[in-house]
Amino acid sequence: MGDAGGRARPARPNRYLSGPDVRGHQLVHAVWELTLACNLKCRHCGSRAGSVRPEEMTTQECLGVVRQLHELGAREVTLIGGEAYLRKDWVEIVRSISDAGMECTLQTGAWQLTGTRIAQAADAGLVACGVSIDGLAPLHDHLRGRPGSFDAAIDALGRLREHGIRTSVNTQITAAVIPQLRDLFREFLATGVRNWQVQLTVAMGRAADNHDLLMQPYQMNELMPLLAELHAAGVAKGLLLQPGNNIGYFGPYEAQLRGSGTASMHWAGCFAGRNVLGIEADGTIKGCPSLPTVTYAGGNVRDSSIAEIWASASQLSFARKSRGKEMWGFCASCYYADVCEGGCTWTSHSLLGRPGNNPYCHYRASELKKQGKRERVVRRLPAPGTSFDHGRFEIVVEPDPDTAGEHRAAGASPQERSRPGPPPAPGDAGSHLPSLVLCRACDCHVFAGTDFCPHCGADVPASQREYESALADARHAASRLARAIGSLGPELPATTTPRA
Amino acid sequence: MTDREDDSVSRPLPPYGPAIHDAIASNDLQQMKAVAEGARKALYQVDFGPVPAERYGEVKEALEALDAAIIRLDRTGGTDG
């Protein structure tokens, strides 16, 4: 998460993954719904939070879960809800997580997150807190079902920082918030926010009921350049915008948004059950807290140990192996299919009833736009009304009114062209480590060894050489200027020292 | 195991990703822009004392060289972030 406002560089977050973590499917991060009780009534809530679940775990059972997570090697536990602090024993659970040597973090709507609660949590070892803010005040309050909830969230951010708790803001991307993102950015800058994560609202739970809230897939062509603009502006001003796991995939902004400046970073498939697990308040275990419970519940801590579920439940291990057979629709023949594996499982399964085809993809939307097409989703079946449920939507492909008559001449699209290197053998998901390289001519990723970019036609090695030459010159010029400024006196701004 | 594999994979994970410090520290272009911005402030007396007259040309020339290099880097695929 972000920082507490101090100037000292904090330690790397525990959730950062090493190569061995990725290859060995090491559990790193557990996201734990402590209770389904909630004091907000969010119109997009996937879990339909409000009342407690039947049979929520006792304090002793929760402490047992903490012990098991520690024994499994988890490094971070994020408490969610509902609203986690509505459990009377939540501070005891925070303390037990911290005492076990794991980082304890919280995700909250911050309604009635009082000073007392914050102080108790800080004392117990809570290190970071993400606060949900889904739009400017009128939109946020409308979505959250509480007048004043926006102000409460902003206020909580300041009070959390005062107690030394690192903060971040999480924003759900609905259709309504897209035009507000620039204003929201300015609001966050003014209130000292340093980390801002965005993720798409998914057609689950109440969001499936209120499906007019959802943005349409073709709007990825509008959203992604806007996020890239805000990312660049944010880094310059000290606010890091980060894409959640259902924002992507590939296209010219992947390296910027997902890599935070590291060109080799890119999406490498769904994390569910690979390094993350989700725990529901009644002890149900899933590979990701957001997945539909009916399909992805791998067991319950009351029946089996978490280690046993993690090791053997197919509902958790599905993303550890090759998912090629799951791919369908556009994703099945996509250039990035072997690496992307259909993006976020939660998003595609909630929408279409099974994973492997995800219309909420920038690369896909942009390729369709080049062909003069766009995709919309239309609800065909409602959700039944249970926690983490979903309905059924259908993808409608239609002419894009913005590109009528402009689409490119017929030719092979990237997904129709061959790519170098053999595909992974069945059952082998590869390393799930980033493996693509960036075409410097168009900023899109390509497979290593590609001579000519399938997206823009450029000579990939030549554009990389030109980039490296320009980078070396720029580093030299920056060093020269830094020396010139630095020699003027200590009061003048050397700011940062570029790497030689 | 290679050095590359030893490195942390600074991949955003749900629900939070890397800190702003890491984003800036890992980004050449951003650092270069920060250096240029610092020089601009110095040259134009914003926030800081003026650059002495005898050094003004040197700093201005270095700044122009960096600005040109940044533009070239941008054009050749410098990812901003």
Side-chain angles (χ1 to χ4, degrees), chain A residues 133-143 150 171-188 196 222-223 226-227 230:
Chain A
I133 299 180
D134 293 333
L136 297 172
L139 175 60
H140 177 89
D141 290 359
H142 171 71
L143 290 170
F150 177 89
T171 297
Q172 294 258 329
I173 302 293
T174 55
V177 82
I178 295 174
Q180 298 187 4
L181 286 174
R182 287 190 182 91
D183 288 336
L184 211 48
F185 172 83
R186 284 188 280 271
E187 176 85 30
F188 292 159
W196 181 20
E222 172 190 1
L223 176 66
L226 175 55
L227 294 182
L230 296 177

Side-chain angles (χ1 to χ4, degrees), chain A residues 224 248-254 266-267 336 339-340 362-363 436 445:
Chain A
M224 295 301 279
Y249 300 92
F250 302 100
Y253 307 113
E254 178 74 13
H266 60 77
W267 173 258
Y336 296 108
V339 177
C340 178
H362 183 221
Y363 175 71
L436 303 180
H445 284 91

Side-chain angles (χ1 to χ4, degrees), chain A residues 103-371:
Chain A
E103 277 202 342
C104 184
T105 58
L106 173 72
Q107 179 61 38
T108 177
W111 184 254
Q112 296 177 335
L113 181 53
T114 61
T116 300
R117 281 177 165 143
I118 293 171
Q120 289 173 337
D123 180 65
L126 185 75
V127 297
C129 181
V131 176
S132 299
I133 299 180
D134 293 333
L136 297 172
L139 175 60
H140 177 89
D141 290 359
H142 171 71
L143 290 170
R144 296 274 160 181
R146 288 274 192 194
S149 56
F150 177 89
D151 291 341
I154 292 288
D155 183 55
L157 286 166
R159 285 185 289 111
L160 285 159
R161 286 196 292 265
E162 287 170 9
H163 283 82
I165 296 173
R166 304 197 307 267
T167 61
S168 68
V169 169
N170 280 28
T171 297
Q172 294 258 329
I173 302 293
T174 55
V177 82
I178 295 174
Q180 298 187 4
L181 286 174
R182 287 190 182 91
D183 288 336
L184 211 48
F185 172 83
R186 284 188 280 271
E187 176 85 30
F188 292 159
L189 271 182
T191 52
V193 173
R194 304 291 304 278
N195 274 58
W196 181 20
Q197 177 166 303
V198 295
Q199 68 169 19
L200 306 185
T201 297
V202 170
M204 168 173 269
R206 292 192 198 118
D209 302 343
N210 303 309
H211 53 96
D212 55 324
L213 296 175
L214 304 174
M215 62 173 274
Q216 288 293 344
Y218 65 81
Q219 290 181 281
M220 295 301 292
N221 286 322
E222 172 190 1
L223 176 66
M224 295 301 279
L226 175 55
L227 294 182
E229 171 196 320
L230 296 177
H231 185 279
V235 170
K237 294 176 185 295
L239 192 170
L240 181 63
L241 183 146
Q242 303 158 81
N245 286 331
N246 73 353
I247 302 267
Y249 300 92
F250 302 100
Y253 307 113
E254 178 74 13
Q256 178 189 345
L257 289 173
R258 190 133 8 239
S260 289
T262 305
S264 60
M265 285 295 162
H266 60 77
W267 173 258
C270 174
F271 291 102
R274 278 166 34 190
N275 303 101
V276 184
L277 67 71
I279 306 169
E280 293 185 357
D282 62 1
T284 299
I285 302 291
K286 300 186 291 190
C288 160
S290 301
L291 287 168
T293 303
V294 169
T295 309
Y296 292 96
N300 191 294
V301 297
R302 286 168 169 149
D303 305 320
S304 311
S305 71
I306 298 176
E308 188 178 334
I309 297 169
W310 179 260
S312 60
S314 60
Q315 295 92 339
L316 269 75
S317 62
F318 64 92
R320 298 175 197 167
K321 57 184 187 295
S322 171
R323 305 183 71 186
K325 290 179 181 172
E326 293 180 19
M327 300 294 109
W328 59 288
F330 185 102
C331 291
S333 58
C334 177
Y335 176 78
Y336 296 108
D338 292 340
V339 177
C340 178
E341 299 182 326
C344 170
T345 306
W346 167 45
T347 302
S348 52
H349 194 123
S350 299
L351 193 71
L352 303 172
R354 61 182 169 127
N357 186 21
N358 184 354
Y360 285 98
C361 167
H362 183 221
Y363 175 71
R364 172 171 172 158
S366 62
E367 284 298 304
L368 288 170
K369 191 174 181 67
K370 289 174 189 172
Q371 299 168 28

